[in-house]
Structures are given as structure tokens and as C-alpha cells.
Amino acid sequence: MSEQQVAAREAARPAPGGGVFDVEADVVVVGGGGGGLPAALFARWLGDDVVLLEKAPELGGTAKKAAFWYWVPNNAPMRAAGLTDAKDDFLRYVARLSRPTRYDPQSPTFGLTGWEYAMATAIHDSASTAAELLAERDALPYRHCPDVPDYWAELPEDKAPYGRVLVPRDASESMADGGENAIRTLGAAAQRDGVQIRTNHRVQRLVVDRDRVVGIEASTPDGRTHRVGARKAVIFATGGFTHDDELRANFLGVPAYRGCAAATNEGDFVRIASAVGAQLRNMNYAWMCPVPLERSGRPDLVGMFSVAGDSMLFVDKSGRRVVNEKLPYNELAQAFFRWDGTRGEYPNLVLVQIWDQRSQDHSASTEYGRLIVPPGADDAHLIRGATLDELADAIAARLDAVSARTGGLRLTPGFLSNLRATIDRFNGFAATGVDEDFHRGETAVQQLFNGPVKEEPGRTNPTMWPLAGTGPYYAALVTGGTLDTKGGPQTDPDGRVLDDLGAPISGLYGVGNCVASASAQAYWAGGATLGPIIAFAHRAATAAHAEQPALTAAR
């Protein structure tokens, strides 16, 4: 997205109330993606006049790029099938992963803080209600995915490891295009039901009258400022700060690269809400995924949700494997951020994905961010070599070319000999189907995200096959990035933004990745971003509807 299509950021200092508004509504929703569109629809269906403002030229945000799995505990199809997803069991699973050092199965809150426990409870209470309402109104018709496991399905705390995932009904069999379908139906429902949608409006600041948020000021690429009044509330759903290098550097505890969030996710709400005293929470965490180094920062980037190939492995700059390549993307991304306190470096900051012609022929796909791509696809990231010697030289040359982005990371002198030994060791594991070093392919979710591979009769582990002894060989540079960040202003379970003393800021709400997630470090399952977001969109719209209207002046 070019800079000309989006207005530049301005000062976030709030504007005083009492002036004239260009337009006025009961509820103003900021952001037209997977949180904003549901929030706007829920508010409209309650009878509120709704204006939705989107920074980009079109609706969709990050959600449009996603598969749009949404994780809904105790959903209607689960209940119809007789599957039990009890609240306490759900909360134990959530607590075990979100706060593993505090987890206590005997505690009334399972080791979560009061705020975390209340937020997690709200997800279980409201996600299914919200999903069903969207489906009933034909805004987000879905199909159930009974065979999709949670990412930690093998943990004893997960008493409902299958069946929590829904996807848009018209998504393809692979489900990779779910976001396009979801935004299409949500956007059509918003148009149908009278949500006033205004794109190319970048909200810059709040309008505050006697300590109550009564509207916003937004700017458009033509340089105009627009004042929009909110009689009841403003609900922000503007995404995280993936594309703001300063915020990522100052708040994330790891050197994560720009990931696959929408290019407009620049942390606007962090600054806007901070200017009225909002309390920030969870700013050090993000939804992580591996990303191709050379595509980081591109608006069309899709994170590597599925690392394809069976005759494929990752090696570090010394030519050694350091990670299970088939881990769920959030967990795989952590491997890039290991700090070496002796050498003072991130030795795994860039890993090299290597594969052979077999995987190139049988595992190529453009879905889910896979780097093994078919002929005709964008393959600028590919590194090729007729032999391992040629491949190693080509990898070294590519690292030289991108050294300004990696702190000068280079291959070590023993890379080629170590790589040969690594491949020999991996091939031995692949022959038996047992990865003695990293346990690749031993959980259900690792096999789910394996991607297409050549069928082999009698094979017990489809994630592994020996790399060929002769070339050609292929490689790509991979690092860790953010799907999106998950920190921001703290809200209560009904989306009210809280100040530094924990009191609601009157008239101000937030949902989605622009506010703090109670998930902390955890990525509970596929769709564990969007399912809770939809739940909180419903709760925020319901609470905003109950607000007493403020006195505003419309022109």
C-alpha cells in the first residue's frame, strides 16, 4: 500500500468537545477488519446508528489475508455432537499455556490474575453466542471443522482437543481463502443493514468532553480533517503495531521482523488511548510466525503458517539443525530469538530452509505462506544449487546481499561439512520415521500443517523423508516475525478501556489486537485470535448500546 493511499499520522493529543461534528452516530467503530465489522454489525442489530471508519482504501485488514479459522469453545456443532467443553476445563487449558509458571490446577483462577481469568471466562461465555448470531444473520455463515486439533491437543489439560474451530462456509477445501470469504460476507451484511462505511479515514485522536469520549477526528489523504461524533461510544478495532518499527523495538522483548499483519497496523490506538490515560498491558507479546526474510515488510507477505516438504530441513549458520521444523508457527518462531550470552548474538536470527527436487515437485503451493512454490509463482526468495557445494555458495552470497538487515550474519567456515553431516543424520531419522533430536511429526497439529507431500506406502511419519543424494537443491532465508502484536490498552471483559487505576474511560472501547490479550505468551489453537475477537466484539457492542447518550452537536 503506497503512502499516498493513507493519511500520515498526526498528534494523538485529544481534541476538546463542544464543537461541531461533520457526522454523528450512536456508535463509531474504528477499523473494518475481523473485529470492527462484527462490532459494527452487533451494534447495528441492537438498533444503534453506526459509522465505521477504515484507515485503508478498502475493508478487510489482516483478517482478509488470513485463513479466518475462528476458535469457538463450546460451539453449537460441538454441543449438537454431544462433545463436552466445560468452562473449568477450558480455563485450565488456557491457564496452563498462558501462564505456565503460575499455573495451579487447585487455584480458583488456576493461577491466572483476576483480569486474565475474567477475560478468559468471557471468551467461553460469549464466543458461541457471537458466532451463531453472525451466522443466523448471514454475515458469517460457517462450517464446522471437527477434525482440527488445538495446537496443544496432547496436553492433559485439554479436555476438548478437537472441534473448536469454525471456518467461513464458502472457504475452499484447504481453508486458506477463508479471510476473503469472511470479509466479503461481513462487508455485505454491513452494507445491507445500514452501517455507514467510510474508508480512507485515519483516526488521529479522540474528542473528549468533560472526561467522556464523544467522538474522533480523522484525516483523509486529501488533507481534510473530519470530526465524527459518538453519542454512546467509540469502539476501536485497529489491529496491533506490527508495522511500527519503533513500537516493536521498544516493547517486544525479541528482535521480531515485520510480519503479515495489514500494512495499516501501526499501533495507532496505543498512542491515541495513551493520550487519554489508558493503561497498557501485554505489550511484550505477539502472535508470532516464521517469515521469509526478504519479504518482511511487504504488504503482500503471508506468514509461514505451514512449512511444507518432507525432504526438507532448517539449519543455522553453522549448518546444523536447531529446531523441529513442523512446530506450530507461533512456537517455531521462538527458535529465531535464542540469545547466546557468550557470543553476544542471536545465532538463529536467520535460519536456512533447504529442500530437494522431490519436495519441489510434490510439496509446492502458494497457500499458508509456504516457500516451496510452483512454477510461475513469485520465487525471488529461492536460492538454487545443482550440488550442495553450489547451494552453500549461493546461500553465502544471499546472506551477503541482505547483511544490512541481519547485523552482518554470515555462514561459519564449517557450514558445508556440517550440512552434509546434518543431512546424513536427518536422513537416518527419516528412514525410521523417528526424529530423535526434535521429535518432528509426533503431534497431531504438526501433521495437520505438513502440507502436500508425496505419498509413500507404509510410512508412519509423513513429515519426514530423506533428502536426495544428488541435486538440484533449493533454499530460502527464514526469520521470526509477527503475525500481529497482542498488546495495547487494557480493557475489561466488555471492552471498556481502563485507565491507570483500572477505571473505565467513559465512552471508549477496544477489541482485537489493538488492545491487550489475556493470552499472554500462548497461542492456544488455530483461530485463537479471531474467535476471542468475535466474542469481545459482541460484548463491547452490547455494553456500548447500554451507554447513556452524550449530548453532542451535529451539523
Side-chain angles (χ1 to χ4, degrees), residues 148-210:
V148 172
D150 292 342
Y151 287 174
W152 302 90
E154 289 73 23
L155 287 179
E157 289 83 8
D158 195 357
K159 304 300 184 184
Y162 290 85
R164 288 170 170 152
V165 173
L166 309 176
V167 297
R169 182 189 60 201
D170 296 331
S172 64
E173 184 178 354
S174 72
M175 301 181 283
D177 61 350
E180 295 178 5
N181 283 280
I183 295 303
R184 174 178 54 80
T185 58
L186 288 166
Q191 293 276 6
R192 176 198 70 200
D193 292 343
V195 175
Q196 302 175 57
I197 297 173
R198 302 189 178 198
T199 56
N200 279 123
H201 281 61
R202 180 175 190 159
V203 173
Q204 303 283 6
R205 63 192 64 85
L206 300 169
V207 177
V208 179
D209 187 15
R210 295 187 292 276

Side-chain angles (χ1 to χ4, degrees), residues 492-504:
D492 71 7
D494 292 318
R496 299 180 184 90
V497 175
L498 305 178
D499 67 15
D500 60 313
L501 295 179

Side-chain angles (χ1 to χ4, degrees), residues 109 164 230 263 288 404 414:
T109 65
R164 288 170 170 152
M288 295 287 191

Side-chain angles (χ1 to χ4, degrees), residues 261-313:
T264 49
N265 288 21
E266 300 171 287
D268 292 355
F269 194 44
V270 171
R271 295 182 170 96
I272 291 170
S274 294
V276 293
Q279 178 177 175
L280 300 181
R281 182 70 64 89
N282 209 42
M283 294 289 288
N284 54 324
Y285 289 122
W287 312 101
M288 295 287 191
C289 59
V291 297
L293 174 69
E294 292 161 284
R295 290 185 182 176
S296 172
R298 283 175 40 171
D300 63 344
L301 172 68
V302 175
M304 295 172 63
F305 296 97
S306 168
V307 177
D310 52 4
S311 50
M312 175 281 303
L313 46 73

Side-chain angles (χ1 to χ4, degrees), residues 88-437:
D88 276 1
D89 290 337
F90 169 80
L91 293 171
R92 285 188 186 90
Y93 174 69
V94 164
R96 164 67 179 81
L97 291 170
S98 296
R99 295 298 183 187
T101 61
R102 296 203 314 253
Y103 174 61
D104 179 359
Q106 306 306 317
S107 163
T109 65
F110 309 112
L112 297 174
T113 66
W115 173 73
E116 291 166 340
Y117 183 82
M119 295 291 281
T121 298
I123 295 169
H124 191 277
D125 288 348
S126 299
S128 183
T129 299
E132 291 306 310
L133 183 54
L134 289 169
E136 289 167 7
R137 300 291 183 97
D138 205 33
L140 190 59
Y142 65 76
R143 68 177 190 260
H144 186 221
C145 300
D147 299 326
V148 172
D150 292 342
Y151 287 174
W152 302 90
E154 289 73 23
L155 287 179
E157 289 83 8
D158 195 357
K159 304 300 184 184
Y162 290 85
R164 288 170 170 152
V165 173
L166 309 176
V167 297
R169 182 189 60 201
D170 296 331
S172 64
E173 184 178 354
S174 72
M175 301 181 283
D177 61 350
E180 295 178 5
N181 283 280
I183 295 303
R184 174 178 54 80
T185 58
L186 288 166
Q191 293 276 6
R192 176 198 70 200
D193 292 343
V195 175
Q196 302 175 57
I197 297 173
R198 302 189 178 198
T199 56
N200 279 123
H201 281 61
R202 180 175 190 159
V203 173
Q204 303 283 6
R205 63 192 64 85
L206 300 169
V207 177
V208 179
D209 187 15
R210 295 187 292 276
D211 297 325
R212 176 169 178 165
V213 174
V214 295
I216 58 86
E217 289 188 348
S219 55
T220 45
D222 60 6
R224 294 175 58 203
T225 296
H226 307 261
R227 284 172 60 91
V228 182
R231 289 184 286 267
K232 292 184 177 181
V234 177
I235 303 175
F236 276 78
T238 50
F241 52 88
T242 280
H243 293 287
D244 188 290
D245 295 338
E246 180 182 11
L247 291 177
R248 282 200 336 279
N250 287 335
F251 286 107
L252 295 184
V254 295
Y257 285 74
R258 290 191 183 191
C260 56
T264 49
N265 288 21
E266 300 171 287
D268 292 355
F269 194 44
V270 171
R271 295 182 170 96
I272 291 170
S274 294
V276 293
Q279 178 177 175
L280 300 181
R281 182 70 64 89
N282 209 42
M283 294 289 288
N284 54 324
Y285 289 122
W287 312 101
M288 295 287 191
C289 59
V291 297
L293 174 69
E294 292 161 284
R295 290 185 182 176
S296 172
R298 283 175 40 171
D300 63 344
L301 172 68
V302 175
M304 295 172 63
F305 296 97
S306 168
V307 177
D310 52 4
S311 50
M312 175 281 303
L313 46 73
F314 282 13
V315 296
D316 66 4
K317 64 180 181 177
S318 72
R320 297 182 173 90
R321 282 182 82 208
V322 295
V323 69
N324 176 348
E325 298 88 349
K326 299 291 184 174
L327 286 174
Y329 44 92
N330 186 70
E331 315 318 315
L332 179 54
Q334 311 309 314
F336 300 95
F337 306 131
R338 181 176 69 82
W339 174 250
D340 185 335
T342 300
R343 297 183 179 275
E345 64 179 10
Y346 291 96
N348 300 343
L349 182 63
V350 177
L351 297 179
V352 185
Q353 180 177 340
I354 295 175
W355 64 95
D356 62 7
Q357 190 63 44
R358 167 202 170 86
S359 282
Q360 183 62 43
D361 289 341
H362 298 283
S363 298
S365 170
T366 57
E367 295 184 332
Y368 290 108
R370 296 169 182 139
L371 297 189
I372 305 176
V373 295
D378 180 2
D379 64 358
H381 61 282
L382 284 191
I383 305 168
R384 298 173 173 86
T387 65
L388 285 179
D389 297 67
E390 288 187 13
L391 187 71
D393 289 343
I395 293 168
R398 186 66 64 88
L399 282 171
D400 284 343
V402 299
S403 63
R405 302 185 66 185
T406 66
L409 187 142
R410 300 288 197 280
L411 300 182
T412 65
F415 176 83
L416 183 56
S417 60
N418 289 335
L419 176 60
R420 293 185 189 279
T422 294
I423 290 175
D424 286 345
R425 183 169 176 82
F426 175 85
N427 285 354
F429 296 156
T432 65
V434 178
D435 179 4
E436 297 179 15
D437 288 340

